[in-house]
Amino acid sequence: MSSSSSVQQAREALGRRLREIRKDSGLTARDLAARAGWHESKCSRIENGRTPPSDDDLRVYTLYCAAADQTADLIATARNIDGAYVEWRRMERSGLRRAQESVMPLWERTRHFRAYSSWLIPGPFQTPPYIRALLMSIRDRRALPDDLEEAVGIRVDKQRVLYEGGRRFAVVLEESTLRHRIGGPETMAGQLGHLLSLAALPNVSLGVVPLSTDRTALWPVEDFWVFDDSQVNVELVSAFLTITQPHEVGMYARTFAALADSAVYGAPARTLITSAIDSLG
């Protein structure tokens, strides 16, 4: 799905929600437009996702539809829509460095990081050779300008957040991430050994969901990060997704908690990592 179609679907979903609020209040679109002093077509345009509502539009909806308790959530939803979906090609058009730099303010202000991955070792836990192999693949696959070494340096520098500011990291990995060979056996052996050392840090909780776990109730999902309780970032194939709507952030936080409950920690987690190292031959 492209970012533009995702944004349009989000606008249409918001419009449907506003239509339900209006109908629950007993007002017709014409009634609401008359009370608000709008052209009578404005309600239809907003409710069908053709016109993005402003903050004031949403305050008017909730005021006249007796739904003031939903105002803040609706405004957060609307503000999030246009900034939520950022295509990789737009973010990386000048190279990989910009994408690495763009998240630094968020990382520096966050104190509690929660990360789940079913694909790759998460960024702060990556070794330079692992980072280089990943970014080289992205550069070549997307035909980006070659600023590889600068991008690697920025990502490595970003890892200082592990050791500064009393930050806490809770990371849950699917066992499959330990088996995906990135950069060859030597790079993977170094990466997995580094993972063992980081798991010993007092501010790090590292869990691994074994391949043998029954996933009937909760199967593997997309990779995501939860930053404090304010934002979630999700990496998609085509785009970078930012979520700030409170109820959606809460959904990811609950999903993380459930995945964390299915993981193993301490000696059992170290055994799975060591087994992955041994399998490299």
Side-chain angles (χ1 to χ4, degrees):
M1 179 183 295
S2 71
S3 65
S4 58
S5 63
S6 298
V7 168
Q8 184 56 35
Q9 287 189 11
R11 285 178 179 160
E12 291 170 0
L14 175 60
R16 288 193 295 271
R17 183 175 170 191
L18 290 170
R19 184 182 297 113
E20 290 170 3
I21 289 172
R22 176 180 56 74
K23 288 184 174 180
D24 287 346
S25 75
L27 293 177
T28 66
R30 181 172 293 179
D31 292 336
L32 178 56
R35 296 187 185 193
W38 293 343
H39 189 281
E40 62 182 37
S41 68
K42 182 170 180 175
C43 283
S44 175
R45 293 197 308 271
I46 291 175
E47 291 178 1
N48 286 293
R50 293 196 298 271
T51 297
S54 68
D55 291 1
D56 285 341
D57 292 337
L58 295 171
R59 292 187 184 101
V60 167
Y61 259 90
T62 55
L63 172 65
Y64 291 117
C65 296
D69 59 321
Q70 299 188 55
T71 305
D73 193 57
L74 287 165
I75 289 174
T77 300
R79 288 179 179 178
N80 187 49
I81 287 172
D82 286 328
Y85 299 87
V86 180
E87 285 182 328
W88 290 117
R89 64 181 177 180
R90 181 150 50 103
M91 182 183 290
E92 298 169 343
R93 64 165 59 110
S94 61
L96 290 161
R97 174 176 178 169
R98 181 181 169 220
Q100 301 305 312
E101 291 176 329
S102 66
V103 298
M104 282 306 301
L106 173 63
W107 284 60
E108 288 174 349
R109 68 175 178 263
T110 299
R111 290 296 175 268
H112 183 201
F113 296 77
R114 282 164 285 180
Y116 164 79
S117 181
S118 59
W119 299 347
L120 303 168
I121 306 300
F125 288 14
Q126 294 170 358
T127 62
Y130 189 92
I131 293 170
R132 187 172 290 104
L134 284 176
L135 296 185
M136 187 182 301
S137 173
I138 292 170
R139 179 200 64 188
D140 296 345
R141 189 167 64 249
R142 298 177 184 163
L144 302 175
D146 188 3
D147 58 354
L148 177 65
E149 293 307 318
E150 288 180 304
V152 171
I154 290 167
R155 181 171 281 199
V156 170
D157 180 64
K158 196 165 60 177
Q159 294 176 347
R160 69 179 186 275
V161 298
L162 274 169
Y163 309 99
E164 298 175 352
R167 297 176 176 90
R168 294 178 294 131
F169 289 79
V171 175
V172 174
L173 305 177
E174 296 288 343
E175 186 182 351
S176 57
T177 65
L178 310 176
R179 304 280 178 164
H180 294 158
R181 296 195 177 191
I182 306 295
E186 184 176 347
T187 293
M188 278 307 301
Q191 175 60 72
L192 295 173
H194 184 58
L195 199 60
L196 286 171
S197 65
L198 291 178
L201 293 176
N203 63 326
V204 170
S205 168
L206 176 64
V208 180
V209 182
L211 288 169
S212 58
T213 301
D214 186 337
R215 309 308 296 270
T216 305
L218 184 61
W219 51 86
V221 297
E222 66 272 16
D223 286 19
F224 64 86
W225 282 85
V226 183
F227 298 92
D228 292 325
D229 289 311
S230 61
Q231 180 172 321
V232 173
N233 285 352
V234 183
E235 294 192 6
L236 307 174
V237 171
S238 63
F240 183 78
L241 174 62
T242 298
I243 295 169
T244 57
Q245 191 174 351
H247 82 268
E248 288 190 88
V249 172
M251 185 181 300
Y252 275 93
R254 290 190 295 275
T255 298
F256 181 85
L259 289 162
D261 284 345
S262 67
V264 297
Y265 300 82
R270 290 194 296 272
T271 296
L272 292 176
I273 297 171
T274 301
S275 175
I277 294 173
D278 293 340
S279 74
L280 293 170

